[in-house]
Amino acid sequence: MEIPTQTPALGATGVVEGHDRPTRERVARSILDNGPSTAAVLAQRLGLTPAAVRRHLDLLIEEGTLESREARNVGARGRGRPAKAFALTETGRDRFDQAYDDLAVQAMRFLAETGGDQAVRAFAERRASQIERRFADLSDAHPELVATEALARVLSEDGYAAAVREVPVGEQLCQQHCPVSHVAHEFPQLCEAETEAIGRMLGRHVQRLATIAHGDGVCTTCIPATPGTSGATGIGTTTGSTPAPQGKEIVR
């Protein structure tokens, strides 16, 4: 989402596009970092009036960056119309990622051509090991955090918008954004190394059910309730469009 350098023009709604673009980028970036959000939450988070936020949300929906959905209800629903949460569309995600995609893909292709698959795998594992080190540091600094919560925090700091939710077979790690999805589409070693690292950090075998890199809306990883239950849950490993089982989100 580039900031225009030419003279600002009025959009269809009469809004000065050049003046408002940076604020719309803040709104979209907040949703990218924090996941789907309501207008009220965005207004509080960004220090804007609800009316201003709704105006920016309408424009972001109009241009295809956002979509609205019914907000997840975490408590008793009051009277009135259900709140709407606003989430990034695939187009919206692409606008954040595309500035670095070409360079990153070219670099990975060069690595593959000069060092082969072994070099690509080594790079993927080194990248995953950095997540493991930060996970260990956070766990040591905050022993009150359970392992899945610490992992979600570390991944969110890297732009994955991660959260954990309870499901009948245990828990699911849901990453609503993947800053390397376009690169991982061509080089699945990145996803493979990350999944293996998640298993090591949590001390159990985990199963990747879906990935943004392969066209799914969310990267979803199944975390069995008890170590050693792989296969007993009836859930297979796939990176296709298998929908993630619905569950209760853990609110922390």
Side-chain angles (χ1 to χ4, degrees):
M1 289 186 282
E2 293 185 350
I3 301 174
T5 56
Q6 60 187 20
T7 303
L10 288 177
T13 59
V15 176
V16 179
E17 295 292 327
H19 176 73
D20 280 359
R21 174 60 64 178
T23 303
R24 288 210 297 281
E25 288 180 355
R26 288 180 60 214
V27 172
R29 169 62 69 175
S30 180
I31 293 172
L32 173 70
D33 293 340
N34 298 280
S37 307
T38 65
V41 169
L42 286 164
Q44 182 177 22
R45 188 186 297 152
L46 299 175
L48 300 171
T49 66
V53 167
R54 291 190 187 94
R55 177 165 54 86
H56 291 301
L57 290 170
D58 287 342
L59 289 168
L60 287 165
I61 290 174
E62 182 180 332
E63 67 183 29
T65 299
L66 298 182
E67 61 184 1
S68 65
R69 59 180 69 160
E70 186 172 337
R72 182 179 298 276
N73 185 28
V74 296
R77 177 178 293 175
R79 297 180 178 179
R81 184 180 305 173
K84 292 290 184 181
F86 299 86
L88 283 171
T89 62
E90 195 64 33
T91 299
R93 285 198 186 101
D94 288 346
R95 291 180 179 178
F96 283 102
D97 296 334
Q98 64 189 6
Y100 305 100
D101 282 349
D102 289 343
L103 179 62
V105 170
Q106 288 175 29
M108 292 296 291
R109 286 174 180 168
F110 177 80
L111 184 63
E113 291 169 4
T114 56
D117 182 72
Q118 183 177 358
V120 174
R121 180 69 187 182
F123 172 81
E125 290 176 348
R126 180 175 180 179
R127 182 174 178 275
S129 70
Q130 294 173 350
I131 298 175
E132 290 185 78
R133 285 196 296 271
R134 291 173 49 229
F135 168 81
D137 291 342
L138 180 63
S139 297
D140 290 342
H142 297 279
E144 74 279 6
L145 297 178
V146 298
T148 51
E149 182 178 5
L151 176 57
R153 287 196 187 185
V154 169
L155 291 172
S156 292
E157 289 172 359
D158 286 345
Y160 287 91
V164 179
R165 66 176 59 180
E166 294 178 350
V167 293
V169 296
E171 293 178 309
Q172 277 185 353
L173 174 68
C174 300
Q175 298 159 243
Q176 302 205 35
H177 179 68
C178 177
V180 298
S181 60
H182 292 83
V183 183
H185 178 74
E186 185 169 342
F187 296 95
Q189 295 94 329
L190 295 172
C191 291
E192 293 165 2
E194 180 183 286
T195 303
E196 292 170 4
I198 291 172
R200 288 193 296 270
M201 285 182 280
L202 300 182
R204 68 193 70 179
H205 175 72
V206 300
Q207 298 174 312
R208 183 61 62 88
L209 302 179
T211 63
I212 294 173
H214 286 80
D216 298 291
V218 178
C219 291
T220 308
T221 304
C222 178
I223 305 169
T226 305
T229 58
S230 178
T233 63
I235 299 178
T237 303
T238 175
T239 54
S241 58
T242 303
Q246 296 299 311
K248 175 183 175 184
E249 185 168 355
I250 300 175
V251 180
R252 295 187 172 100

